[in-house]
Amino acid sequence: MYLSEKDVRAIATYARIGLDDTQVTTMTIDLNNIIESLKPITAYDLTDVEPTFHPIAGLSNVMREDRVQPGLTHAAALANAPEQQSGSFRIPPILGGGDA
Amino acid sequence: MEYSALSIVDIQAGLAAKIFSAYELAEAAFAAIEARDPQVHAFLELTPELAFAAANRVDVALAAGESCGILAGVPMAFKDNMNQMGTHTTCASRMLESYVSPFTATCVAKALEAGALPLGKLNMDEFAFGSSTETSAFGRTFNPWDLERVPGGSSGGSAAAVAAGMATVTLGSDTGGSIRQPAAFCGVVGFKPTYGVVSRYGVVAFGSSLDQVGPFGKTVADVAATLDAIAGRDPRDCTSQESATIFSANLEQGVKGLRIGVVPAFMDAEGVDPEIISATKGALANLEQLGAQIVEVELPNAAAAMAAYYVIGPCEAFSNLSRFDSVRYGYREGGARDLGEQYEQSRAHGFGPEAVRRIMLGSYLLSSGVYETYYYPAQQVRTLITSDYVRAFEQVDAIITPVSPRTAFKFGEIADPTSMYLSDMFTISINIAGNGGLSLPVGPGEKTGLPVGVQIIGPQFKDQNILRVASALESCYSIARLAPLGTGPVGTSSARPPEQTQPHEGGAL
């Protein structure tokens, strides 16, 4: 077993996903099974093998000219917001506990 | 002439000869959708007003004698992870149920510029996490060949819409097999070109180093023409590449003198149905008959591709899906006391179980200590897999493999996530290496009678080789591309935009 339920709770906190107790139990089983299937990766001797982070060789830091370009209007940017107020995205208190 | 059987060439010829108008094509498309989609459920949203407006533009241009684009009048639909201004782009997730695109993805924009008639948005596995379209939050898609079976996934709606004769061509996306496997399950042609051929701008990201957009169609020529319309460099996607290739140019060249690779380890792989191997051998025999030379090649590290993929894919997905924060857009769970709780509750209820699983896996694999055990080594293994392909393509022009270890399975038949992942065993290594791969129907299978596909793989940016081989091989088979359901009678569509004008009178379709 690679992960305990305690580990899974910690991962969920990091991933910002609230899991209930039943979900934690199921997720622990699923993740352990999946991690077991990743074993072939650990079986390799990878000394002196460079990593490949994307498939196009020699491509790095593609830059464009630093120029203002048309973008979304203020209204379009806010149009999909679950909640807005005075032209801004509205969120609950960041530090918690208080009244919104 | 039956609408559902029309190819792009048929549409071009019919429009030029005024046998039918683009408007009538749109009418026929919605009639087919109304008759068949209640059974298939390929579409999540229909956009008749956009389709009829596009049809009118095509008809006006044709009447004025203006030249039209490659896809002029072609009824087309897009996977629901592709933004199209004014449409819902849900990724088949509750998270994006009410999201309306404020912009258009480059691949969609290019198709529309080429004259395509946008019929609507297509069902998929939630955020493209899956191989069966069963994880869609808005109901599953049914395989038009057998409504008790899955259409494959994640681009299940894109494959099913073509097989049911509702759209002439569609677009899908492929991160580990999500174009090729549903194409095989639904008996249509599906092409994932080399990473970088098509811009991903505006396509909701899953695995950024793996994702690629590609077309579905009934024929290789339709797929090549669609790729011609959507390929090319886009300043908004820095991985997209300049392309001088005309993908539909060399389809008639044949395979005489080409060297075609076969991977013995794939043909003997455990868990592959005999009817799949038999169909693949049949394809190889046909190519040999056409004058190709069959050469055995080895891909010794491909066996580790599945593990590398289930490290790299979830890590990239974890990062990409962190943008769904319930603040700027997306599902928000009400009643949270603070922002942290709002994030956790919104993401817990907005994402389905497979999305949560992949995000959790990525979160774990990128954590300190684990990164060194799995993530970094997976990227090193990726180098080995890529080198295998480079070496193989020093010996051959294309490689033939199965697409999927079996034909379409029944709903619920594969419930365990790790077993589901195996359905992509032959497609995943191509995304890891970045090469192009095409799924060509060569079925029906000897045992199941269901569609079987073979995969044709080419060297990076030699996608025209793949299409050339596919076109030659296609000529050996006279199999139906439309499911029986896709050839049935249809009524008259009630879909109409307000105040339509018909620029010219067309004949019967």
Side-chain angles (χ1 to χ4, degrees), chain B residues 2-4 27-28 31-36 165 485-493:
Chain B
E2 282 292 324
Y3 158 73
S4 297
E27 281 186 318
I33 291 167
E34 282 177 25
R36 297 167 191 157
L485 182 149
T487 60
V490 297
T492 311
S493 168

Side-chain angles (χ1 to χ4, degrees), chain A residues 2-3 8 11-19 27 30-31 33-35 37-38 40-42 44 46 49-56 59 62 72 76-77 80-83 89-98, chain B residues 98-100 102 195 209 238-239 241 301 304 307-308 310-311 326-330 332 337-340 342-344 347-348 356-357 359-361 363-364 374 376-384 418 421 433-434 460:
Chain A
Y2 303 89
L3 295 174
V8 170
I11 295 164
T13 304
Y14 183 49
R16 297 283 195 187
I17 295 180
L19 299 181
M27 187 63 69
D30 285 350
L31 289 184
N33 284 340
I34 297 169
I35 296 163
S37 76
L38 305 179
I41 293 296
T42 59
Y44 273 89
L46 295 164
V49 178
E50 289 293 318
T52 300
F53 288 103
H54 69 80
I56 300 180
L59 182 70
V62 180
L72 294 181
N80 280 298
E83 239 186 306
F89 298 109
R90 183 183 160 91
I91 56 168
I94 293 172
L95 295 176
Chain B
S98 56
Y99 177 79
V100 178
Y195 181 87
S209 77
C238 65
T239 64
Q241 303 291 301
N301 298 294
Y310 278 98
V311 174
S326 71
V327 172
R328 294 159 300 150
Y329 48 81
R332 174 178 290 193
R337 284 166 304 174
D338 58 43
L339 185 60
Q342 183 178 285
Y343 287 150
E344 293 192 353
R347 287 163 64 82
V356 169
R357 208 156 24 233
I359 292 168
M360 290 285 291
L361 183 60
S363 171
Y364 167 68
Y374 294 103
Y376 196 83
Q379 303 286 25
Q380 291 172 297
V381 169
R382 182 177 206 168
T383 302
L384 301 178
T418 40
Y421 298 168
Q460 277 199 1

